[in-house]
Short mmCIF file of all heavy atoms in Angstrom, two decimals:
data_model
loop_
_atom_site.label_atom_id
_atom_site.label_comp_id
_atom_site.label_asym_id
_atom_site.label_seq_id
_atom_site.Cartn_x
_atom_site.Cartn_y
_atom_site.Cartn_z
N THR C 8 116.63 -2.98 154.56
CA THR C 8 116.85 -4.37 154.15
C THR C 8 117.71 -5.14 155.14
O THR C 8 117.65 -6.37 155.22
CB THR C 8 117.52 -4.43 152.77
OG1 THR C 8 118.80 -3.78 152.84
CG2 THR C 8 116.65 -3.78 151.71
N GLY C 9 118.54 -4.42 155.91
CA GLY C 9 119.45 -5.08 156.85
C GLY C 9 120.59 -5.81 156.19
O GLY C 9 121.28 -6.62 156.83
N LEU C 10 120.83 -5.52 154.90
CA LEU C 10 121.88 -6.21 154.16
C LEU C 10 123.21 -5.47 154.24
O LEU C 10 123.26 -4.27 154.52
CB LEU C 10 121.47 -6.37 152.69
CG LEU C 10 120.25 -7.26 152.44
CD1 LEU C 10 119.80 -7.16 151.00
CD2 LEU C 10 120.58 -8.71 152.80
N ILE C 11 124.28 -6.20 153.97
CA ILE C 11 125.62 -5.63 154.00
C ILE C 11 125.85 -4.79 152.75
O ILE C 11 125.58 -5.22 151.63
CB ILE C 11 126.69 -6.75 154.06
CG1 ILE C 11 126.51 -7.60 155.31
CG2 ILE C 11 128.10 -6.15 153.99
CD1 ILE C 11 126.67 -6.84 156.60
N LEU C 12 126.34 -3.58 152.94
CA LEU C 12 126.88 -2.78 151.84
C LEU C 12 128.29 -2.37 152.23
O LEU C 12 128.50 -1.80 153.30
CB LEU C 12 126.04 -1.55 151.54
CG LEU C 12 126.58 -0.74 150.34
CD1 LEU C 12 125.45 -0.28 149.42
CD2 LEU C 12 127.40 0.47 150.79
N GLN C 13 129.24 -2.68 151.37
CA GLN C 13 130.65 -2.31 151.59
C GLN C 13 131.10 -1.43 150.44
O GLN C 13 130.79 -1.70 149.28
CB GLN C 13 131.52 -3.54 151.70
CG GLN C 13 133.00 -3.24 152.01
CD GLN C 13 133.77 -4.50 152.32
OE1 GLN C 13 133.39 -5.28 153.18
NE2 GLN C 13 134.88 -4.71 151.62
N VAL C 14 131.82 -0.37 150.77
CA VAL C 14 132.33 0.56 149.76
C VAL C 14 133.75 0.15 149.39
O VAL C 14 134.55 -0.24 150.25
CB VAL C 14 132.33 2.01 150.29
CG1 VAL C 14 132.63 2.99 149.15
CG2 VAL C 14 131.00 2.35 150.94
N GLY C 15 134.07 0.26 148.09
CA GLY C 15 135.36 -0.22 147.60
C GLY C 15 136.54 0.68 147.92
O GLY C 15 137.36 0.97 147.03
N HIS C 16 136.65 1.14 149.16
CA HIS C 16 137.85 1.85 149.61
C HIS C 16 138.90 0.80 149.95
O HIS C 16 139.15 0.48 151.11
CB HIS C 16 137.53 2.74 150.81
CG HIS C 16 136.70 3.94 150.47
ND1 HIS C 16 137.16 4.93 149.63
CD2 HIS C 16 135.46 4.31 150.85
CE1 HIS C 16 136.23 5.87 149.51
NE2 HIS C 16 135.19 5.51 150.23
N MET C 17 139.54 0.28 148.92
CA MET C 17 140.38 -0.92 149.06
C MET C 17 141.65 -0.64 149.85
O MET C 17 142.30 -1.57 150.33
CB MET C 17 140.70 -1.52 147.69
CG MET C 17 141.84 -0.91 146.93
SD MET C 17 141.53 0.80 146.41
CE MET C 17 143.13 1.18 145.68
N LYS C 18 142.03 0.65 150.01
CA LYS C 18 143.26 0.94 150.76
C LYS C 18 143.15 0.51 152.22
O LYS C 18 144.16 0.33 152.89
CB LYS C 18 143.61 2.42 150.64
CG LYS C 18 144.02 2.84 149.24
CD LYS C 18 144.31 4.32 149.14
CE LYS C 18 144.56 4.73 147.70
NZ LYS C 18 145.85 4.23 147.19
N ARG C 19 141.93 0.33 152.72
CA ARG C 19 141.75 -0.19 154.07
C ARG C 19 142.27 -1.63 154.19
O ARG C 19 142.44 -2.13 155.30
CB ARG C 19 140.28 -0.14 154.48
CG ARG C 19 139.74 1.27 154.66
CD ARG C 19 138.32 1.26 155.15
NE ARG C 19 137.82 2.62 155.38
CZ ARG C 19 137.09 2.99 156.43
NH1 ARG C 19 136.77 2.10 157.37
NH2 ARG C 19 136.67 4.23 156.56
N PHE C 20 142.49 -2.29 153.05
CA PHE C 20 143.00 -3.66 153.04
C PHE C 20 144.45 -3.72 152.59
O PHE C 20 144.96 -4.78 152.28
CB PHE C 20 142.10 -4.53 152.15
CG PHE C 20 140.73 -4.71 152.73
CD1 PHE C 20 139.73 -3.79 152.48
CD2 PHE C 20 140.45 -5.80 153.54
CE1 PHE C 20 138.46 -3.95 153.03
CE2 PHE C 20 139.18 -5.97 154.09
CZ PHE C 20 138.18 -5.04 153.83
N ASP C 21 145.12 -2.58 152.58
CA ASP C 21 146.57 -2.50 152.37
C ASP C 21 147.23 -2.97 153.66
O ASP C 21 147.01 -2.38 154.73
CB ASP C 21 146.94 -1.04 152.06
CG ASP C 21 148.42 -0.81 151.86
OD1 ASP C 21 149.24 -1.48 152.52
OD2 ASP C 21 148.77 0.09 151.06
N PRO C 22 148.03 -4.06 153.65
CA PRO C 22 148.61 -4.57 154.89
C PRO C 22 149.44 -3.53 155.66
O PRO C 22 149.48 -3.57 156.89
CB PRO C 22 149.50 -5.73 154.41
CG PRO C 22 148.86 -6.19 153.15
CD PRO C 22 148.34 -4.93 152.49
N GLY C 23 150.08 -2.62 154.93
CA GLY C 23 150.83 -1.57 155.62
C GLY C 23 149.91 -0.65 156.40
O GLY C 23 150.18 -0.31 157.57
N LEU C 24 148.80 -0.23 155.79
CA LEU C 24 147.86 0.64 156.48
C LEU C 24 147.12 -0.11 157.58
O LEU C 24 146.78 0.48 158.62
CB LEU C 24 146.86 1.24 155.48
CG LEU C 24 147.44 2.12 154.38
CD1 LEU C 24 146.32 2.85 153.66
CD2 LEU C 24 148.45 3.11 154.93
N GLU C 25 146.90 -1.40 157.40
CA GLU C 25 146.30 -2.20 158.46
C GLU C 25 147.22 -2.23 159.69
O GLU C 25 146.76 -2.14 160.83
CB GLU C 25 146.03 -3.62 157.97
CG GLU C 25 144.87 -3.73 157.00
CD GLU C 25 144.66 -5.14 156.50
OE1 GLU C 25 145.65 -5.85 156.24
OE2 GLU C 25 143.49 -5.54 156.37
N ALA C 26 148.53 -2.37 159.46
CA ALA C 26 149.49 -2.37 160.57
C ALA C 26 149.50 -1.01 161.27
O ALA C 26 149.59 -0.93 162.50
CB ALA C 26 150.88 -2.72 160.06
N ALA C 27 149.41 0.07 160.48
CA ALA C 27 149.38 1.40 161.06
C ALA C 27 148.14 1.57 161.93
O ALA C 27 148.21 2.09 163.06
CB ALA C 27 149.40 2.45 159.95
N GLU C 28 146.98 1.15 161.41
CA GLU C 28 145.74 1.29 162.16
C GLU C 28 145.76 0.45 163.44
O GLU C 28 145.26 0.88 164.49
CB GLU C 28 144.57 0.86 161.26
CG GLU C 28 143.21 1.31 161.74
CD GLU C 28 142.50 0.30 162.58
OE1 GLU C 28 142.91 -0.88 162.56
OE2 GLU C 28 141.52 0.66 163.26
N LYS C 29 146.39 -0.72 163.40
CA LYS C 29 146.50 -1.55 164.61
C LYS C 29 147.36 -0.85 165.66
O LYS C 29 147.02 -0.86 166.85
CB LYS C 29 147.11 -2.91 164.24
CG LYS C 29 147.23 -3.85 165.44
CD LYS C 29 147.80 -5.20 165.03
CE LYS C 29 147.93 -6.12 166.24
NZ LYS C 29 148.51 -7.44 165.85
N PHE C 30 148.46 -0.23 165.23
CA PHE C 30 149.30 0.51 166.18
C PHE C 30 148.54 1.68 166.80
O PHE C 30 148.65 1.95 168.00
CB PHE C 30 150.56 1.02 165.47
CG PHE C 30 151.51 1.78 166.35
CD1 PHE C 30 152.32 1.13 167.26
CD2 PHE C 30 151.59 3.17 166.27
CE1 PHE C 30 153.20 1.83 168.09
CE2 PHE C 30 152.47 3.88 167.08
CZ PHE C 30 153.27 3.20 167.99
N ILE C 31 147.75 2.36 165.98
CA ILE C 31 146.93 3.46 166.48
C ILE C 31 145.98 2.98 167.56
O ILE C 31 145.84 3.61 168.62
CB ILE C 31 146.14 4.11 165.32
CG1 ILE C 31 147.08 4.85 164.38
CG2 ILE C 31 145.07 5.06 165.85
CD1 ILE C 31 146.45 5.24 163.07
N GLN C 32 145.35 1.84 167.33
CA GLN C 32 144.34 1.33 168.25
C GLN C 32 144.93 0.74 169.52
O GLN C 32 144.28 0.77 170.58
CB GLN C 32 143.48 0.27 167.55
CG GLN C 32 142.67 0.79 166.38
CD GLN C 32 141.69 1.87 166.76
OE1 GLN C 32 141.12 1.85 167.85
NE2 GLN C 32 141.49 2.83 165.88
N THR C 33 146.14 0.20 169.45
CA THR C 33 146.68 -0.56 170.59
C THR C 33 147.81 0.12 171.35
O THR C 33 148.02 -0.18 172.52
CB THR C 33 147.19 -1.93 170.11
OG1 THR C 33 148.24 -1.75 169.15
CG2 THR C 33 146.06 -2.73 169.48
N GLU C 34 148.54 1.03 170.70
CA GLU C 34 149.75 1.52 171.36
C GLU C 34 149.99 3.02 171.25
O GLU C 34 150.62 3.61 172.12
CB GLU C 34 150.97 0.79 170.77
CG GLU C 34 152.25 1.03 171.55
CD GLU C 34 153.43 0.20 171.06
OE1 GLU C 34 153.19 -0.87 170.46
OE2 GLU C 34 154.58 0.62 171.27
N MET C 35 149.49 3.67 170.23
CA MET C 35 149.86 5.07 169.98
C MET C 35 149.39 6.02 171.07
O MET C 35 150.02 7.04 171.33
CB MET C 35 149.34 5.53 168.63
CG MET C 35 149.63 6.99 168.32
SD MET C 35 149.27 7.47 166.61
CE MET C 35 150.88 7.19 165.85
N GLY C 36 148.28 5.68 171.74
CA GLY C 36 147.73 6.62 172.71
C GLY C 36 147.04 7.76 172.00
O GLY C 36 146.48 7.61 170.91
#
């Protein structure tokens, strides 16, 4: 169908975990 399906793993939208993931991607090495 080519349609969007998103799973309700809402912790990915926890601002604390978002900050952690950003540090992983940009600085942690």
Side-chain angles (χ1 to χ4, degrees):
T8 61
L10 295 171
I11 300 299
L12 183 137
Q13 183 171 307
V14 190
H16 288 297
M17 83 294 176
K18 292 178 187 289
R19 292 184 177 223
F20 292 87
D21 178 326
L24 298 191
E25 287 178 321
E28 197 267 344
K29 182 179 179 181
F30 180 75
I31 290 167
Q32 296 299 326
T33 60
E34 191 174 335
M35 177 170 268

